[in-house]
Structure formats: structure tokens, C-alpha cells
Amino acid sequence: MNAEDKQKSDTIISTKDLNVWYDDFQALIDVTMDIPEKSITALIGPSGCGKSTFLRTLNRMNDLIESAKTTGSVLYRDQDIFHSSMEVSELRRHIGMVFQKPNPFPMSVYDNVAYGPRTHGTKSRAKLDDIVERSLRGAAIWDEVRDKLRQNALGLSGGQQQRLCIARALAVQPDVLLMDEPTSALDPISTTKIEELILQLKENYTIIIVTHNMQQALRISDGTAFFLLGDLVEYGSTDIIFSTPSDKRTEDYITGRFG
Amino acid sequence: MKTIMWISAFITCGLIIGIIVYVFAKGIPFISWDLLSTSPTYIPPHIGILPDIMNTIYIVIASLVVMVPLGAGAAIYLEEYATNQKVVAVIEYAAETLSGIPSIIYGLVGMLFFCEFAGLRTSILAGALTLVIMNLPSIMRTTQESLKTVPQSYREGAFALGAGKWRVIRTVVLPGCVDGIITGCVLATGRILGESAALLFTAGFAHTLNSFFEGLMSPGATLTVALYVYAKEQGEFGAAFAIAAILMILTLGINSLAMWLERHFRKMREQGYPQEKTKE
Ligand SMILES: Nc1ncnc2c1ncn2[C@@H]1O[C@H](COP(=O)(O)OP(=O)(O)OP(=O)(O)O)[C@@H](O)[C@H]1O
Ligand SMILES: [Mg+2]
């Protein structure tokens, strides 16, 4: 293993015995998982198995849900994200999120992308212009919107909106991107574009993506984690999970026997 | 059956149109520039409703200035901050109940509390504060309703970028609910215009012309109260009908304004929120 490979397999997020409850219902059970840096990790599993819950725990978006309770630990670059010294706002700047349904704000394209940097204190026009362009280029949507920066983002197509949301997330220079079924609301062409984009983003970002689409997981991910009823059943390299899974349930799910 | 329905519809419309035509027919001939622009005098006997118009404007302004921050603030708190759903439900129920109480009771309580206890005596301010209490539940509810229409996904999107609660509210929630607040104001203005019982107790029925701040501390009749006074106590039906006609025109205006605003805001929503300020 050369130095670069070593670098690449460094763990960026590590969960240990992570449990999440919604009131009395346990949505995640003792999930222990190490996610390597600058890679794409796919989370798969039938509906309701806890994929979104897991994702939303990583940037503490689950804090917003009254009934949610969490035990166990999540380390982001060896820092406990639940520790009192961890600023949620900083955590979310480092760990960005893209949602299932594109959710641009009802503002101009420019203001959407500038929202994050402005939140974290960037005020200068020149700097913002620069960040906006860079982020839009990064999300492979610059050419389509360069003449529409002042137009309302809600006027864009669904696929464009989703790439805008990715640009918006990139604008705060995150480290990790959490994506919750980012293409499930999109047409096949937009989906392909976003998959290509995700593969490019892997160069600089760690990506954790929830998907219901087995082909998608296979096409883009390096590692795959299979969840079932709150359990992390199996986690390993995507090639292995999809060719020789060690758990019968994984195999059943992948071959479409349930879910 | 159909005939009966038709007759009911006919009678209803007939009555409404009848009243409007009657009031306009009796009132409009008495509306003159002189009436609108002067104060009343005893010697020589003369009726002018300028003070009443000004009092009405003062009371609307004073009420809205107090009511909007309170009502919208309460709504924002209940919708965005409050975590105890039981408390929220109790407050909402209380607000619901409050808005069903006859206004004369507000008048009585307002008189005892604002005029006597708080020492404001009979004054426009006491009247305005009474109206604030009367209209708070409604403005709170309209704001709450419009807060609910702001998609949760906007809030999530902003939180996920690291925005704090207040920033989220200020930048993505409030712009989406200004329309609710403004519509609430317009509706409240309509109710304030029409209110008489509560004001008879608290704001009195003086016809003196005052400046805004003077006016707040002095007793004064609004148009609706003046209508009552002229008709009931002075038998001046000409003036009463003139005021009635003016009030009707105002009400009509306010309703159209409410409708126009709703359409305007729907269009604005499609165009997006105004942009944030940037340093050059
Ligand atoms: N806010 C909530 N309150 C109560 N229960 C919830 C809440 N959110 C999720 N759950 C429950 O927790 C379980 C896991 O939900 P989660 O959304 O994480 O599943 P998922 O794997 O993302 O499913 P899907 O594929 O349908 O998105 C489900 O049974 C769900 O009903
Ligand atoms: Mg989900």
C-alpha cells in the first residue's frame, strides 16, 4: 500500500454502538461503522430500516426532532460530535447535506449558493461572487445558470435544482456530503448527471449516500452498508457486498427477494 | 325546492343591495368637503367629522403598532420555538375562546384595567390597547397559519448549512409569512373600523381635533362611535348616514385591499424572496 492509498483509507467518521430512538421506537440498534475519507459509501436497505436516521444523526439534523434520543458515539475526525464543545453550526458546515426532494430556497440562484457563506460570516461581494461561481462549477451547473444568477431558483428544472442544492452545500467548503436519495425524485438523465457529479466530487469530498437503487449503489459507491430494521447487517466493499455477501439477508435484499 | 332556494338567494341579495343603496342614498348627499375637513362647533351649530377621521386613523395605527409585534412574536414563538405541545394547545384554545367573546366585555374589562387601573383614563390609547387585546388572538392565528405554510424543507435546508434558529426564521421563514401578517393587519383594521361597543367604554366620544400623541392621551370618537353619537344622542341622521356611507366605502376598500394583497403576495412567492444585502 503506497502513501496515497493509506491516506485515502483514513477513517473520517466513526460510529460506535449508535442507538437512536423515536420515543419508544428504536430506529437504530448498536450501529458501529467506520467511514473512510474521500470515498463514496452507499447506505441501502428496505424502507424504514433507519438509513435516513443514520444519515441525519451524523450532522445532528436529528436534533431537530423532538422525540429522537441518541446513545453511543459518533466521531468526526476523532471529535465526539455530541460533546458540548462541538458547535452544531460548525459541524454542519463540515458535514453538508443534500435532501431527497430538491429544496432550493425561494430566492435567486445566487442567494441560494451564497446562503451558507453568508451564514458563516462572508459579506464581501467579490468573495461571494467567487464562491458562487466556484460552487456552481463544482456542481456542474455553472454553464446552465450563469445567465440566470438573479433569477428565482424555483424556476429551474428538478435536476438543476438538485445540482443547485449540491452547489449550495459545496459553498461552505464542507468535508463530508450526506445525500439522502438525491436522485429518487429525478428523471434518468438528471440522475446520470448527478451520478457523474458525485463521482467527480469524490476527489475532494467524502460522500455518504442513501439509495434505493441497487444499480446506483453498484455504479458509484466504494463501500456499501446494508441496514435492516435498525441493524447494520453487513458493511464492506461494494464489489464484495454485491457479489459474495456473507449474510443471507443481504443477498436476499440485493437479489430483490424483499424490500 | 329549487324555487325556494332561488327565493332565499334573491331575498338575501336583495337585502344586502337594499341596505347598501339605502345607506348611500341617504348618506352621500350629506358628504361634503366641509363635512370631511372641519371640526364640529356648537355656535354656530355645525357638524364636521375631521376629528373622528383622525381619531380613527390614530387608533388604527396605535393598535397595529402594538398588536403586530406581539401577535406575530407570539405566533413565531409557538410555531418555531415552543417545544411543549400541550402548552401550545392550551394557548391556542385560549386564543380561540378569546376571539368568541362579545366585544362589549372587552370594553368593560378595558375600562377597568386600562382606564382605571393603569391610569390612562378614557383615551384613544386605552381604546387602542383594548382593541389590541381583542384582535391579538386573530393576528396570532393568521400568522401561525401562514408560518405553517412555509415548507419544512426550507428550514431543514437552512439548518443543514449551519444556520442558527434566528437566522433561519429571519431569512427563510419570515419572508414566507409576511403575507399572513399583512393580511391579518388588514382584517384587524376592518374590525377596528367597525368596533363601537368596546370603544364607547374606553375611548369615549369627544370630537376634538388633536395631533397624534395628544390624541392618544385624550378621549376621542372614531367614525363608528361618532355614528352612534350623532344618531342616538343628537338625532343628526344626515351626519350619521354620511358617516355610515363613508364607513361602507372604507370597508369595501379594505376588503379589496385584502384581496389584492393576497394576489400580490402569491405572485411574489412565485418570484422568490428579496435578496440579502451584500457589501460591495
Ligand atoms: N420523526 C420520526 N418520529 C417517529 N418515528 C420516526 C421518525 N422518523 C423516522 N421514524 C421511524 O424510524 C424508522 C426509520 O426511519 P428512517 O426514515 O430512518 O428510514 P429509512 O431507512 O430512511 O426509510 P426510507 O427508505 O423510507 O427513507 C422508521 O420506522 C420510521 O417510521
Ligand atoms: Mg429515508
Side-chain angles (χ1 to χ4, degrees), chain A residues 103 106 111 115 119-120 125 152, chain B residues 161 167 171 270 272-273 275:
Chain A
N103 62 344
D111 286 335
Y115 190 90
T119 299
H120 297 281
R125 187 50 183 261
N152 188 354
Chain B
L161 288 166
R167 176 163 169 80
T171 54
E270 280 153 22
Y273 297 171
Q275 70 167 109

Side-chain angles (χ1 to χ4, degrees), chain B residues 17-277:
Chain B
I17 294 171
I19 290 179
I20 295 178
V21 169
Y22 182 71
V23 169
F24 278 162
K26 298 268 282 186
I28 288 185
F30 284 91
I31 299 179
S32 63
W33 179 242
D34 182 56
L35 179 80
L36 296 177
S37 65
T38 56
S39 300
T41 48
Y42 286 107
I43 308 163
H46 166 76
I47 293 180
I49 59 169
L50 181 63
D52 309 320
I53 295 177
M54 295 318 287
N55 286 336
T56 309
I57 295 175
Y58 297 162
I59 217 162
V60 166
I61 294 176
S63 306
L64 290 182
V65 161
V66 183
M67 191 157 74
V68 171
L70 275 181
I76 291 171
Y77 178 78
L78 290 184
E79 284 301 310
E80 308 290 329
Y81 286 96
T83 48
N84 189 335
Q85 287 310 309
K86 271 198 201 113
V87 174
V88 173
V90 168
I91 294 178
E92 285 177 359
Y93 181 74
E96 214 65 63
T97 313
L98 275 179
S99 51
I101 295 178
S103 63
I104 196 155
I105 296 178
Y106 285 99
L108 190 63
V109 174
M111 180 177 75
L112 290 178
F113 185 76
F114 292 119
C115 304
E116 311 278 329
F117 179 73
L120 294 175
R121 278 175 301 200
T122 303
S123 62
I124 294 273
L125 183 60
L129 292 175
T130 308
L131 291 175
V132 165
I133 301 198
M134 264 177 66
N135 286 296
L136 256 186
S138 123
I139 201 152
M140 187 183 94
R141 298 296 286 169
T142 38
T143 310
Q144 266 186 301
E145 288 315 311
S146 71
L147 282 171
K148 284 187 183 130
T149 64
V150 178
Q152 196 57 27
S153 65
Y154 293 174
R155 296 183 180 86
E156 286 196 325
F159 278 124
L161 288 166
K165 190 107 195 176
W166 175 235
R167 176 163 169 80
V168 173
I169 291 176
R170 196 166 47 81
T171 54
V172 303
V173 178
L174 277 185
C177 82
V178 208
D179 50 345
I181 298 177
I182 293 183
T183 312
C185 286
V186 174
L187 293 176
T189 307
R191 274 192 303 268
I192 293 172
L193 280 184
E195 186 51 49
S196 56
L199 290 177
L200 282 170
F201 277 105
T202 50
F205 25 75
H207 299 300
T208 26
L209 187 61
N210 290 310
S211 68
F212 181 66
F213 289 104
E214 252 181 327
L216 282 184
M217 300 319 291
S218 337
T222 63
L223 282 169
T224 311
V225 172
L227 165 66
Y228 172 82
V229 174
Y230 281 124
K232 193 74 187 156
E233 318 218 312
Q234 299 176 307
E236 292 285 356
F237 283 97
F241 272 106
I243 296 176
I246 291 170
L247 280 171
M248 273 193 174
I249 294 169
L250 284 178
T251 312
L252 216 76
I254 284 190
N255 283 347
S256 332
L257 179 67
M259 257 158 25
W260 180 82
L261 280 174
E262 206 188 306
R263 239 174 306 152
H264 172 75
F265 280 118
R266 196 171 323 132
K267 244 199 332 225
M268 255 191 41
R269 228 171 238 248
E270 280 153 22
Q271 285 165 359
Y273 297 171
Q275 70 167 109
E276 286 184 69
K277 286 196 186 63

